Structures are given as C-alpha cells and as structure tokens.
Amino acid sequence: MKKIALMLAIVVMGYAVSAQSLNVTSAREAQNRGYLDKAKKLIDAACEHEQTKNDAKTWYYAGLIYSSIGGEVDKPRSKYKNLDADWLEKSKNAALRCKELDTEKEYADGNNTILAFVGNEYYKKAYAAFDKQDWEGCMALSEESVRIFNECGKREYASESYMMAGKAAMNAHNHEAVMKYFKPLVRTKTKENLVYRTLFDLYKQAGDTNEAIKLAQNYVKSCKDDYNANMMMAEAYLMKGNMEQGNAEIQKALALTVDKPELHASLLAAAGATFEGVNDFEKAELRYKESLQTLPNQFVANFGMGKMFYNRAVDKLTEANNVPPTDETGLYDKLLGECRDLFRQSIPYFNNAIAFIDNLDAEGQGANRRNLHQCLQALNTVYARLEMYEELKPIKARIEELEKDAH
C-alpha cells in the first residue's frame, strides 16, 4: 500500500505541474485571441503557483499580457481599457523578473522589446508631468524610464529621458539635478546645444573654470560643425585671458555662417557680447558694428550696443559717487562727464531696438514685450540723467501704457 500511495502522489504532482504549465500556454493563447481578461486571470495564477512562479517563460508571458493591457488604455471603445490600472508596474516587474530567471537568454529579445515599451510609457508619463509643470514628478518618471531603457540595452533611448529630466530640473532651479541629468548626455556626445550651454553657465557661476573649459573642448570634439561649440570655446579661452585663441575660435564660428547673413549677424552680436563679458569693449563694439553692417534692421546688436554703453555709464557713475568729497583733483567731474557721454552714446541704439520691435507684427510685438520694456526703462534712466525732459515724457507714457496692459 505504501508503494502505491507514493506512486499516486507522484502522479498527482505531475498533473499539477501540467495544469500550471497549461495555464501559461492558455494565457498566451487567450492573449493572442484578444481575450485579455481571461489571459490576465490565467497568467496571474501561474505567477503565484509554486511550480511555475520561478519559470522565465511565465514572467515573459506576464510582461507580454500586461503590456497588451496597457496597449488598450488609449482606445476609448476598448472593453479592456480599465482592466488593470496598475498594468505598467506589473508589466515592468514581470519583464525584470523574466530577465533575472532567463539565464539561457531564451526570451531575451522579446523581453527587451517589452522593457523598451515600458520605458517609453514612463517617458510618456514624464512628458505629461512636464506639461503640468510637475517638475519633481517629471524627474522621477524620467529616471525610471532611464533605468528601464538601460536594463534592455536601449541606452540611446535613455538620452531623451535624461533630456526631459534635465529640462524639468532647470525649471525647478535645481542645479544639482541639472548636472546629474545633463552630464551623462555629454558622455554620449550629444549634439544638443542646450546641454552644453546650461552646464557651461553652471560651471561659470560656480567659478569652476577648468570644468567649463573641459566641457567646451568636449563640445568642439563632438560637434565640429556647430558654430555654437566654437563660440563656447572662445568664451572659455577669454575666461582664461587667452585673447588670441578666443578670437581665433570666434573666427572659426563666423566662417561657418558666412553664407547665412541673418545668422552671421546674430553670431557677430554674440561675439560682441562675449568680448563685452570680459571687458574688452573695443572688440565688443567692433563686433556689434560688424553685425549692424551685415543686418542693420535688427534687435540684438542694437540692444547689445545700447546696453554696453549704458552699463559702462552706470559703472562710471558708481566710480564718481565713490570719489571722496575732499578730492580736489577734478576726478568726480571727469567721471561724471564720461558717464554722461556713455549714456548719450546708448540713445540711438536703444531707439533703433525699439523701432525694430514697433515694426513687428502683433505676434512679434507680444513676444518682445519684455525686451521693449527693458529698452524703455533704460531710456527713461538715460533721459533723466541727461536732463532731457522733453524726450523723457513719451518714454514714461509708453512705460505706463505697457505696464497697465500687463495687469
């Protein structure tokens, strides 16, 4: 009797294994035929049963079925769109479990496709969070997307998630997070100017000139035909006081845009701003003027010139105010005279910048309200300082009108 009982137990156990294996196969067949509710029930049972829960095949089909459920969510008329609200997490966990168990890589290709689908879904959720200005949520979802893409060997897809997370971090003013998300993109030799520009500015703010220079060098190596890379390299050289190399990089950038007048003019203005940033006002003025010769009717170079003279005038005024009252050298009057002269030189450029905005269509004027306000405020100060009260009246009126419309 004992021997017969043992044999019976073996037969019963064998039947149980077959039944659970059958659940996996049946789940797959149900999924193929579009019966996702039945497929879900069958695969859930197989995932929990002792005989099949450690089988890579079980989890592969689980990931496939839950991904299929996810594919129904955006179909308004699908009867399965609300079958399982937690489908994404379940699909992800199933695919990761399959990868862990699939030591022979039997399901690797198909499972990686599931993981890529899951990673893309997290990216879509991150995008939706970005649209809602949920910066923290966007970063968390993007990170999960990156993790999943890396798990399935799709690191090229992870770049988009890093970019999304980096933009969210920028909007959250989280500089540490910006570094975290954008630095991997530099290692992958991204072509995105935003990445290099943002990191470069952060290094500058931190006073880390060496890292700023390394970044600019990486940019030039990765994007040899991008004039922005040469401009950044020029800025890096100028930060170190290497005027010769800085100017050489600017010339390289200009050479790349010589057949595109508007872009060339814009680049010349950017070069002017770069030289202005290191207080080389002579070269800055030269570049701004070259830009205006190339394209007289523009905002950037006109505003750049006006701003440069204005800021220098303010510096002279500060110096004048710092002269001791006991000074009898005439330094105060000298500095005040230089200040007034610089303010005068700014006037035509601010007026040209304003005229450019005034001649834009309604949409262009709307997009440039802030620029217009800045020019008007600068002229308001200039005319007041120079006691040009007749010229001041219409400027004040425009400022009041602009500020009234903004409320």
Side-chain angles (χ1 to χ4, degrees):
M1 289 294 293
K2 289 181 180 179
K3 191 172 183 179
I4 292 173
L6 182 61
M7 289 177 64
L8 182 60
I10 292 171
V11 170
V12 171
M13 185 177 70
Y15 177 78
V17 172
S18 296
Q20 291 308 315
S21 296
L22 186 61
N23 272 349
V24 175
T25 303
S26 298
R28 173 59 172 149
E29 290 176 356
Q31 188 254 344
N32 278 339
R33 296 173 65 185
Y35 302 136
L36 294 179
D37 49 351
K38 182 179 179 181
K40 176 184 180 302
K41 183 178 179 180
L42 289 166
I43 203 65
D44 283 350
C47 288
E48 292 177 3
H49 197 277
E50 289 295 327
Q51 303 301 327
T52 47
K53 70 178 185 180
N54 293 317
D55 188 345
K57 179 181 179 180
T58 302
W59 294 102
Y60 169 65
Y61 286 136
L64 195 60
I65 289 166
Y66 276 104
S67 292
S68 297
I69 292 171
E72 299 296 307
V73 170
D74 293 328
K75 297 177 182 178
R77 297 182 181 180
S78 173
K79 64 179 180 179
Y80 297 125
K81 68 187 304 292
N82 298 315
L83 183 57
D84 195 314
D86 201 26
W87 71 267
L88 182 57
E89 190 73 9
K90 290 179 179 178
S91 181
K92 176 187 74 176
N93 291 337
L96 291 174
R97 181 64 174 149
C98 173
K99 183 178 179 180
E100 179 185 352
L101 295 171
D102 188 20
T103 56
E104 299 298 322
K105 310 296 182 186
E106 183 179 355
Y107 303 100
D109 289 343
N111 197 55
N112 283 336
T113 300
I114 294 169
L115 283 170
F117 174 77
V118 168
N120 190 61
E121 288 298 314
Y122 274 104
Y123 175 80
K124 285 163 63 177
K125 287 182 176 292
Y127 192 93
F130 190 95
D131 272 354
K132 294 176 183 176
Q133 298 186 8
D134 176 10
W135 312 129
E136 294 299 326
C138 177
M139 285 187 276
L141 289 163
S142 295
E143 280 197 31
E144 188 64 1
S145 177
V146 167
R147 185 175 80 89
I148 300 304
F149 282 136
N150 286 338
E151 284 284 351
C152 64
K154 302 292 184 182
R155 288 180 172 80
E156 65 275 19
Y157 297 159
S159 295
E160 290 296 324
S161 297
Y162 274 126
M163 179 63 75
M164 178 78 69
K167 289 178 179 178
M170 288 173 64
N171 288 323
H173 305 291
N174 187 336
H175 294 170
E176 184 178 348
V178 172
M179 288 280 191
K180 175 183 177 182
Y181 299 129
F182 276 177
K183 285 171 76 173
L185 293 175
V186 174
R187 291 195 290 270
T188 61
K189 299 182 179 181
T190 180
K191 307 295 183 184
E192 293 286 346
N193 172 255
L194 175 67
V195 172
Y196 296 103
R197 184 72 256 173
T198 303
L199 290 176
F200 188 81
D201 288 342
L202 287 177
Y203 286 133
K204 280 174 58 182
Q205 290 171 24
D208 196 341
T209 306
N210 289 333
E211 284 301 318
I213 291 173
K214 286 179 186 176
L215 181 73
Q217 289 171 337
N218 282 331
Y219 193 5
V220 170
K221 288 177 183 176
S222 300
C223 308
K224 294 180 180 179
D225 296 324
D226 186 348
Y227 61 88
N228 290 301
N230 296 110
M231 288 298 293
M232 186 177 290
M233 195 70 249
E235 195 173 344
Y237 278 128
L238 294 175
M239 284 166 56
K240 294 288 282 184
N242 190 334
M243 305 301 289
E244 184 178 350
Q245 286 293 333
N247 199 37
E249 289 295 329
I250 288 174
Q251 290 302 125
K252 290 178 185 177
L254 291 170
L256 291 171
T257 61
V258 70
D259 59 338
K260 301 172 183 176
E262 288 192 13
L263 182 56
H264 194 66
S266 177
L267 201 56
L268 282 163
T274 299
F275 282 117
E276 182 187 350
V278 293
N279 297 326
D280 190 338
F281 301 119
E282 185 178 343
K283 283 192 176 67
E285 185 173 347
L286 178 65
R287 294 303 185 188
Y288 281 134
K289 285 183 175 178
E290 284 182 33
S291 178
L292 289 169
Q293 287 170 1
T294 304
L295 189 70
N297 186 29
Q298 59 159 301
F299 174 82
V300 178
N302 276 306
F303 178 72
M305 280 283 276
K307 175 179 62 67
M308 182 177 71
F309 286 126
Y310 179 95
N311 288 338
R312 290 176 64 193
V314 171
D315 288 341
K316 292 292 182 182
L317 182 60
T318 301
E319 289 181 52
N321 290 334
N322 289 334
V323 174
T326 56
D327 183 86
E328 297 181 357
T329 64
L331 179 60
Y332 175 82
D333 291 335
K334 177 179 179 294
L335 290 171
L336 201 59
E338 291 175 356
C339 165
R340 292 170 66 86
D341 183 57
L342 288 165
F343 271 140
R344 284 192 193 91
Q345 291 184 68
S346 74
I347 293 173
Y349 295 106
F350 282 133
N351 278 323
N352 288 341
I354 291 169
F356 176 81
I357 294 174
D358 287 344
N359 287 322
L360 295 174
D361 59 21
E363 184 179 353
Q365 289 181 19
N368 279 276
R369 285 177 65 88
R370 185 177 177 183
N371 289 333
L372 177 60
H373 189 263
Q374 200 169 358
C375 289
L376 291 170
Q377 286 283 23
L379 275 181
N380 183 69
T381 300
V382 170
Y383 288 145
R385 283 286 176 185
L386 297 177
E387 300 176 353
M388 299 171 65
Y389 299 119
E390 287 303 313
E391 291 84 351
L392 183 59
K393 290 177 184 178
I395 296 299
K396 279 186 174 294
R398 288 201 67 176
I399 292 173
E400 290 173 5
E401 181 184 357
L402 201 62
E403 292 177 348
K404 181 182 177 181
D405 291 343
H407 293 299

